[in-house]
Amino acid sequence: MRVELRDGDTYEGVVLAGGTGSRLNPLTRVTNKHLLPVYDRPMVHYPIQTLVNAGIEEILLVTGGKNSGDFLRLLGNGREFGLKHLDYSYQEGEGGIADALSLAEYFASGEPICVVLGE
């Protein structure tokens, strides 16, 4: 399902979950900062749940680094959130937000998207 807004536009969601988390060292030596617990669940659950609460059922998660496979192990196909699709894209290096968004171009297919930061 694509969320349809009043103006007729539809949206899919993109969660940007990259970055090195250097300011959270030493915790981020062993995992991505977005996988660290905040209260009772990993930080990345919050932006995903926010998109789901908005009615978005198709999400692309953009991440990178040596612990990117942990997202797949944790989130799987997104069914736990009621998602139709949870896709993943790998960002090589430290290209920043603009580079991460360029990886979402294929996912958006020229349509509007809702982008949230993973933290």
Side-chain angles (χ1 to χ4, degrees):
M1 173 177 136
R2 295 177 75 107
V3 173
E4 187 169 330
L5 301 181
R6 282 178 267 169
D7 60 4
D9 286 339
T10 58
Y11 290 82
E12 292 180 333
V14 176
V15 176
L16 303 181
T20 62
S22 60
R23 290 183 295 271
L24 294 173
N25 194 11
L27 298 173
T28 52
R29 280 191 216 158
V30 295
T31 192
N32 182 292
K33 66 183 175 185
H34 303 93
L35 298 173
L36 292 173
V38 174
Y39 185 55
D40 62 346
R41 52 192 166 150
M43 187 184 317
V44 73
H45 279 208
Y46 293 95
I48 292 172
Q49 190 62 57
T50 298
L51 292 172
V52 168
N53 291 348
I56 293 174
E57 295 179 336
E58 297 180 28
I59 294 176
L60 172 68
L61 188 132
V62 180
T63 190
K66 63 182 184 280
N67 302 108
S68 58
D70 295 343
F71 285 95
L72 182 58
R73 282 187 285 283
L74 174 70
L75 303 171
N77 61 12
R79 296 285 189 255
E80 173 185 344
F81 293 94
L83 294 171
K84 281 187 179 179
H85 299 285
L86 178 58
D87 294 340
Y88 298 89
S89 189
Y90 183 81
Q91 181 180 15
E92 295 187 39
E94 298 175 26
I97 291 174
D99 183 56
L101 284 176
S102 73
L103 297 173
E105 187 174 3
Y106 80 91
F107 182 74
S109 302
E111 298 295 325
I113 56 174
C114 179
V115 178
V116 294
L117 299 179
E119 63 267 301

